[in-house]
């Protein structure tokens, strides 16, 4: 473990899969050298839109220049129109709204400016039908000409239905695959 490694684990889905996703994400963080003292996982009561924003601000405050961070987000996604594009948003627990990809990308860009490396893993299940065929708004927003992200970001995402064997609280498929790969 290195004091300069940090993790923010945001599990926004149903309690059963959130527990497993949180456990798997913590194991990934450990394999990446994040000490327990540097892993933050806000509880469901702290995951309102303001709570999610505060978690990003707190991570930024904890990080030193050129530290490394792992940000994990799981739960349900929704489709919405942002800046004329059909995009994927992340649904907050207890129907507290959504956080759009544009806002999430802005937080990530802020963190990337200070970080040596920033690894983002978003593993969501699809929902909502406000628009067809959403694109990855986070990737689009990270790479747009106004806020081009640095080369220090590794961004992995999957929005897919969990097959029946995994629907019983085993967590997200991509999370499981990455943990198995790193382990």
């Amino acid at each position: 473990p290195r004091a300069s490694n940090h993790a923010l684990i945001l599990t926004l889905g149903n309690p059963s899969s959130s527990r497993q996703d949180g456990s798997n994400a913590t194991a990934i963080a450990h394999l990446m050298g994040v000490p327990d003292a540097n892993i933050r996982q806000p509880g469901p009561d702290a995951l309102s839109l303001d709570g999610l924003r505060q978690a990003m601000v707190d991570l930024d405050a904890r990080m030193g220049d050129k530290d490394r961070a792992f940000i994990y987000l799981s739960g349900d996604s929704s489709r919405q129109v942002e800046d004329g594009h059909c995009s994927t948003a992340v649904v907050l627990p207890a129907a507290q709204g959504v956080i759009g990809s544009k806002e999430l990308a802005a937080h990530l860009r802020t963190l990337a400016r200070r970080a040596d490396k920033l690894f983002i893993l978003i593993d969501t299940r699809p929902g909502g039908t406000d628009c067809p065929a959403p694109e990855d708004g986070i990737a689009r927003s990270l790479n747009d000409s106004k806020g081009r992200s640095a080369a220090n970001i590794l961004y992995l995402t999957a929005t897919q239905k969990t097959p029946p064997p995994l629907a019983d609280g085993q967590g997200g498929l991509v999370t499981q695959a990455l943990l198995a790969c790193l382990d």
Side-chain angles (χ1 to χ4, degrees):
R2 296 171 36 154
S4 60
N5 291 349
H6 305 270
L8 177 59
I9 299 171
L10 304 166
T11 53
L12 307 173
N14 72 57
S16 176
S17 62
S18 288
R19 264 191 306 282
Q20 189 60 50
D21 283 341
S23 177
N24 288 344
T26 299
I28 291 169
H30 286 145
L31 289 167
M32 295 175 73
V34 180
D36 285 333
N38 288 0
I39 298 174
R40 298 291 188 278
Q41 184 175 4
D45 55 327
L47 292 174
S48 65
L49 186 54
D50 288 337
L52 190 64
R53 290 172 177 149
Q54 188 61 49
M56 294 288 188
V57 169
D58 291 347
L59 176 60
D60 188 37
R62 282 194 327 272
M63 285 177 53
D65 288 334
K66 302 300 178 197
D67 281 3
R68 296 177 178 181
F70 169 54
I71 299 172
Y72 176 82
L73 198 148
S74 70
D76 297 319
S77 64
S78 180
R79 298 174 184 179
Q80 70 178 28
V81 176
E82 282 185 310
D83 297 335
H85 299 275
C86 182
S87 187
T88 300
V90 179
V91 178
L92 300 174
Q96 296 181 46
V98 299
I99 184 166
S101 53
K102 186 176 179 181
E103 180 178 355
L104 194 52
H107 289 294
L108 298 173
R109 271 196 305 274
T110 298
L111 291 167
R113 286 185 194 110
R114 296 188 59 207
D116 173 48
K117 292 184 179 35
L118 183 60
F119 176 35
I120 303 133
L121 174 58
I122 299 177
D123 193 355
T124 58
R125 289 159 290 285
T129 57
D130 291 349
C131 55
E135 66 181 356
D136 187 342
I138 295 172
R140 179 180 33 81
S141 192
L142 285 173
N143 291 314
D144 72 9
S145 60
K146 296 175 194 139
R148 193 150 211 47
S149 63
N152 62 340
I153 294 177
L154 174 60
Y155 169 61
L156 297 176
T157 187
T159 301
Q160 59 191 8
K161 290 184 179 176
T162 306
L166 302 176
D168 59 1
Q170 295 301 308
L173 187 60
V174 172
T175 304
Q176 291 179 60
L178 180 62
L179 177 58
C181 181
L182 292 174
D183 200 19

